[in-house]
Amino acid sequence: MEPIFENTATAFALKSDSELERAYFLFKMISNEPLVKMGSVITNFAFKAHLPVEGLIRATVFDHFCGGINERDCLPVVERMWGKGVCSVLDYSVEGKEEEDPFDSATEIILTILDFVKEKEAIPFAVFKPTGFGRFALYQKIGEKKQLTKDEEAEWQRVVNRFDKVCKKAHDLEVSLLIDGEESWMQDAADNLAEDMMRKYNKKKRIVFNTLQTYRWDRLPYLKSLQERAARDGFLVGMKVVRGAYMEKENDRAKEKGYTSPICKTKAETDENFNATIEYMIDNLDTLSIFSGTHNEDSCYRLMEMMEKKGIDKNNEHVWFGQLYGMSDHISYNLAANGYNVAKYLPFGPVRDVMPYLIRRADENTSVAGQTSRELSLLKAERKRRKI
Ligand SMILES: Cc1cc2nc3c(=O)[nH]c(=O)nc-3n(C[C@H](O)[C@H](O)[C@H](O)COP(=O)(O)OP(=O)(O)OC[C@H]3O[C@@H](n4cnc5c(N)ncnc54)[C@H](O)[C@@H]3O)c2cc1C
């Protein structure tokens, strides 16, 4: 495949010189692991102690990785990206709540977003996290097939209702809806619920998309079995394919509890699994839709190659490339400039509430070998090109 990701003029066309400098400074900081660890601890402490750090966070990491505090704040960013052919996925990034009120308000926010994005070509997807709608421990208990108490049964019904409410609305408004993947020990219950939603709302169009985390070695067989059930019951399957964000947690828990880790033994195995899953989906595009969520250049080139080989149009409505806002712009903008469907997750939410998301991004960029240094070298190249 002709290399396209080195074009830094296209990659950073939306960044002013000062934004470019801020990004460079930010990734330089993030590349320093002890600094990130210390920064996370200090920031958590500062928020708990009500110290006035919000302005500082907002002007640095928040503005780089998030679109704003609410969905309306995000619009200028959405429009700027859309001007370069890159779509947005508004991502309400408030995590780790354990009470009913936030679950209800998260549901309301997703419903509002669906209304907000309907008929906006620039925002073809909405997204939510299963644990945004219900307690982690409840998903886990259901996945483990343990007996629920009467109260828990009622609680679960409320989770099911929340899923149904947003999926029905997405279906009625014809907006595709991505459901994020989380830790394996709660994922079975979420997968079953997502499958029920596909059965109900994906009869004609691929509205509901679940997530396959290909660092798990059991996901391609899972997809194949889901596809059989879909053929039998007459529904279509949408899947976001990612490598997976919880590897260390997964391996640590498996070790601690003494079961075989669900995670591939090596990075190479995960890579192979990711590419094999995408290939399988490309071969079955008549009933499967792909949202390939990755910052891995090789995986993107492979998908492009597969499409070319099979004569699939670059803008085929069933193939999407996805990256996170603030990361891998060289992939997103160059793919879009070459005619592919691209959407970036654009997180938003109150600064304090999106901190766990931001800390994960910082951690990920520190731990994902090569990713930060790649961002830095691209930013460096663009600074040099612009002579700043
Ligand atoms: C648009 C988008 C949506 C996302 N949604 C989700 C989601 O819903 N759920 C979720 O869990 N993650 C999600 N992610 C994050 C994703 O799973 C990855 O953590 C992240 O993108 C890094 O992987 P990569 O393919 O971009 O790049 P790479 O740098 O090529 O891969 C890094 C990944 O490889 C795997 N890996 C690394 N070392 C090893 C090893 N030794 N053995 C086995 N595997 C290894 C890990 O999964 C690691 O995150 C999303 C990412 C994007 C871009």
Side-chain angles (χ1 to χ4, degrees), residues 329-365:
D329 285 346
H330 67 301
I331 295 182
S332 312
Y333 290 97
N334 282 306
L335 279 172
N338 281 275
Y340 293 92
N341 294 325
V342 186
K344 279 177 104 80
Y345 265 42
L346 184 58
F348 72 91
V351 178
R352 165 191 290 271
D353 291 341
V354 299
M355 275 322 290
Y357 174 87
L358 291 174
I359 288 172
R360 259 197 307 126
R361 289 289 80 80
D363 277 348
E364 183 181 284
N365 278 286

Side-chain angles (χ1 to χ4, degrees), residues 179-182 211 213 215 240 242-247 263-267 270-271 274 291 293-296 322-324 343 345 361 364 368-369 371:
I179 305 177
D180 279 347
E182 301 183 71
T211 298
Q213 296 154 308
Y215 62 5
K240 168 156 61 96
V242 300
R243 282 181 168 75
Y246 309 96
M247 181 177 74
I263 307 300
C264 294
K265 286 205 170 62
T266 60
K267 170 73 163 68
T270 296
D271 291 346
F274 184 96
F291 185 104
T294 182
H295 298 147
N296 183 302
Q323 287 78 44
L324 305 179
Y345 265 42
R361 289 289 80 80
E364 183 181 284
V368 176
Q371 193 142 299

